[in-house]
Amino acid sequence: MPGSREQENNVVWDTAHLAMTYCALLILLILGDDLSKIDRKGLLQALGNLQREDGSFGSSSEERNDITFSFKEGDMRFVYCAVVIAHILNGYSYIDIQLLCDFIKNSLSYEGSFGQGPLQEGHGGSTFCALASLHILDKLDEVLSENDKELIVRWCLFRQQSGFQGRPNKEEDTCYSFWIGCSLKILKSFKWIDKEKNKVWLSRTQRKFGGFAKYAEGNCREDLGHSYFGICALALMKESELHGLHPALNISKRATQRLKQRMLTTHAD
């Protein structure tokens, strides 16, 4: 019930969150907003406070008794969110880029993929987050050797069955046509995928109401997340009537152009 004690007690958990901030900024750019109403300095200061000693980022923080605590959750997802936020707001000076790059490098697995952190299993989603972060920071060639990149490309290409899987021996999943596809695009190796086979597989994930489901078979229903990633994957393959996609920022090239125009008028601190 509105105004209940239970609701009041939950307010403390309704904190700002890196992933939600990342999404909000991208949505504003897509809608053509100039971001002039954003508390840029306050947001960037909060971002800097979330970076940890190993270079990673916590997802959010809470304040109690004038002390700020970073939540335990923190991995490659929030590294990526932090990099994109800093890029959009031209605020790299608020984060330790070298420490961040060390965290990414230390998360590279023996098989040529990135885990959510050091010594964790390689995964398509975290591989994208790592590569996209390095690409945006213009650190890809500095952090990764040619051998590293070749190994990553090999791992990503092996993820295609018809569609793409996120890890070896897992089912194909709509979203990995985006995560793996963008990873290969960043590494300039997207041309080696079988686009037609992927398009056919993605078409099988569509349901009668028009959305995309996670899997092609079974009773899996369409959902907004996989519909989004399905469309993004088709945009990567230059499907007609779709805007081109910036593979690292995860927005259309049209929205990316708006960001470039804004960055020309925004000075870094």
Side-chain angles (χ1 to χ4, degrees):
M1 293 178 62
S4 69
R5 178 169 294 181
E6 181 180 355
Q7 186 181 47
E8 292 175 3
N9 290 339
N10 287 335
V11 170
V12 70
W13 303 109
D14 190 19
T15 63
H17 192 283
L18 271 189
M20 306 309 131
T21 302
Y22 156 81
C23 290
L25 289 174
L26 292 190
I27 290 168
L28 288 171
L29 286 173
I30 291 167
L31 294 174
D33 190 83
D34 63 3
L35 306 184
S36 61
K37 296 180 181 179
I38 298 295
D39 179 6
R40 177 177 172 274
K41 188 172 183 179
L43 197 158
L44 288 170
Q45 286 176 337
L47 177 66
N49 289 336
L50 289 174
Q51 189 167 21
R52 298 175 171 180
E53 292 182 358
D54 65 354
S56 66
F57 285 79
S59 59
S60 56
S61 63
E62 62 170 308
E63 294 182 3
R64 290 188 178 181
N65 299 322
D66 297 323
I67 301 175
T68 301
F69 297 92
S70 177
F71 283 175
K72 184 177 180 181
E73 185 180 42
D75 52 48
M76 198 66 72
R77 297 170 299 173
F78 304 117
V79 168
Y80 170 69
C81 291
V83 169
V84 175
I85 292 168
H87 178 74
I88 291 173
L89 299 179
N90 201 6
Y92 287 133
S93 62
Y94 287 84
I95 61 178
D96 188 325
I97 293 177
Q98 184 57 57
L99 205 58
L100 182 157
C101 288
D102 290 343
F103 176 81
I104 293 176
K105 177 66 174 181
N106 292 334
S107 300
L108 180 61
S109 74
Y110 70 93
E111 60 185 349
S113 58
F114 289 89
Q116 293 288 16
L119 303 179
Q120 295 190 32
E121 181 184 13
H123 186 278
S126 48
T127 295
F128 163 80
C129 289
L131 292 173
S133 297
L134 293 175
H135 177 75
I136 293 167
L137 291 169
D138 197 23
K139 296 286 186 179
L140 200 64
D141 294 333
E142 180 180 323
V143 174
L144 300 177
S145 67
E146 289 304 312
N147 184 66
D148 289 335
K149 286 183 278 187
E150 288 179 10
L151 201 59
I152 295 166
V153 168
R154 180 178 181 273
W155 186 88
C156 287
L157 289 173
F158 278 9
R159 300 287 67 74
Q160 183 168 22
Q161 311 304 303
S162 293
F164 285 83
Q165 57 184 187
R167 289 172 289 169
N169 301 315
K170 295 291 185 179
E171 290 186 67
E172 299 151 284
D173 180 333
T174 297
C175 65
Y176 292 108
S177 289
F178 169 83
W179 301 118
I180 301 294
C182 285
S183 297
L184 288 167
K185 199 83 170 181
I186 290 168
L187 293 173
K188 300 178 181 180
S189 299
F190 189 71
K191 62 184 178 181
W192 301 114
I193 76 164
D194 189 327
K195 295 179 183 177
E196 293 307 314
K197 187 180 289 188
N198 193 31
K199 286 179 183 180
V200 170
W201 189 86
L202 286 170
S203 70
R204 291 170 52 211
T205 71
Q206 290 189 81
R207 299 298 185 257
K208 62 181 180 180
F209 295 111
F212 290 75
K214 183 179 179 71
Y215 302 124
E217 308 295 340
N219 296 321
C220 187
R221 294 289 301 274
E222 69 281 355
D223 64 79
L224 283 176
H226 287 89
S227 295
Y228 170 77
F229 287 123
I231 291 170
C232 285
L234 292 172
L236 271 182
M237 294 183 284
K238 298 182 179 180
E239 191 72 6
S240 62
E241 301 184 8
L242 295 177
H243 287 294
L245 186 74
H246 189 294
L249 289 175
N250 189 13
I251 50 176
S252 69
K253 290 183 178 179
R254 181 176 66 176
T256 305
Q257 189 58 40
R258 291 175 184 154
L259 174 59
K260 288 180 180 178
Q261 292 170 353
R262 179 190 176 277
M263 292 178 74
L264 290 174
T265 62
T266 303
H267 299 288
D269 293 336

